[in-house]
């Protein structure tokens, strides 16, 4: 019986997180209310507070859950990320614009002082840069073909992934996010062969 109650509680919690993601996508974090989320899952606001005591707690849970959805089946604890899996992730994101839109909107809002998501994104980007440096080192060794170290190239890789999402969200008919990322990966593996050549 205890396991049944626990399973029901986890199921309801998952429903709340999905509803919160939808409401934030529609209204933004500041425009989203606990009451709106509660109504969407058939709870009172007080009932919702049983699962998430504050709006900030719900937001952080949404962001963590989004990262779980993001990496589901694509990353293993043994192998970590590889470049081809990152390309698969970009293709996967192109099939779920609502989640990408919510994440991007929250990322944009989080740069303001005092935003509750700012600590989450600050920690997340530090971790992601470290992971991407590991990806690049596994692929290219201690130096990329163009001469950069994995640590110097990692922020560029992260910036391309997130920057492509913004461009794609604004103009999906003009920006092929997956193809553009494949092009960037090709650039990472290219060398600057102009050294010592006549530029004329």
């Amino acid at each position: 019986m205890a396991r049944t109650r626990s399973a029901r509680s986890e199921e309801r919690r998952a429903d709340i997180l999905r509803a919160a993601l939808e409401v934030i996508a529609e209204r933004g974090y500041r425009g989203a209310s606990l009451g709106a989320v509660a109504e969407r899952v058939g709870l009172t606001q007080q009932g919702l507070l049983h699962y998430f005591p504050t709006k900030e707690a719900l937001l952080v849970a949404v962001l963590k859950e989004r990262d779980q959805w993001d990496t589901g089946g694509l990353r293993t604890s043994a192998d970590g990320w590889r470049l081809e899996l990152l390309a698969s992730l970009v293709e996967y994101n192109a099939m779920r614009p609502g989640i990408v839109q919510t994440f991007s909107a929250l990322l944009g809002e989080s740069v303001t002082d005092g935003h509750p998501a700012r600590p989450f994104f600050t920690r997340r980007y530090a971790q992601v840069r470290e992971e991407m440096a590991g990806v690049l080192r596994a692929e290219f060794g201690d130096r990329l073909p163009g001469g950069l170290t994995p640590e110097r190239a990692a922020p560029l890789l992260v910036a391309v992934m997130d920057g492509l999402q913004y461009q794609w969200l604004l103009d999906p008919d003009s920006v092929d996010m997956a193809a553009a990322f494949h092009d960037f990966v090709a650039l990472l593996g290219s060398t600057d062969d102009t050294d010592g050549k006549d530029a004329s």
Side-chain angles (χ1 to χ4, degrees), residues 30-111:
R30 300 200 186 277
S33 68
L34 290 177
V37 176
E39 182 180 359
R40 195 159 296 202
V41 291
L43 286 172
T44 64
Q45 187 166 324
Q46 193 62 34
L48 179 68
L49 293 174
H50 171 73
Y51 296 93
F52 299 98
T54 65
K55 184 179 177 182
E56 289 76 14
L58 177 58
L59 171 64
V60 172
V62 165
L63 290 170
K64 289 180 177 177
E65 189 74 6
R66 186 269 183 188
D67 269 355
Q68 290 298 314
W69 295 335
D70 214 31
T71 58
L74 292 177
R75 178 183 174 192
T76 65
S77 57
D79 298 332
W81 284 108
R82 296 189 301 274
L83 272 178
E84 63 266 28
L85 291 184
L86 291 179
S88 297
L89 176 59
V90 174
E91 293 169 1
Y92 177 48
N93 280 339
M95 297 186 291
R96 48 186 198 152
I99 291 177
V100 175
Q101 182 185 51
T102 304
F103 179 84
S104 299
L106 286 170
L107 174 58
E109 290 182 10
S110 74
V111 301

Side-chain angles (χ1 to χ4, degrees), residues 111-186:
V111 301
T112 58
D113 291 336
H115 193 283
R118 183 164 185 156
F120 172 85
F121 279 113
T122 300
R123 289 191 301 270
R124 181 182 185 276
Y125 272 107
Q127 178 183 342
V128 170
R129 286 192 297 270
E130 183 178 343
E131 289 180 350
M132 293 305 101
V135 169
L136 294 171
R137 178 166 281 105
E139 186 78 16
F140 299 111
D142 290 335
R143 291 277 175 180
L144 276 68
L148 290 178
T149 64
E151 286 71 23
R152 286 185 60 190
L156 304 178
L157 176 57
V158 178
V160 166
M161 292 183 74
D162 286 352
L164 281 173
Q165 288 186 163
Y166 278 107
Q167 294 182 63
W168 172 71
L169 286 169
L170 289 168
D171 194 359
D173 292 333
S174 299
V175 178
D176 186 332
M177 186 164 59
F181 184 74
H182 279 286
D183 290 342
F184 179 71
V185 170

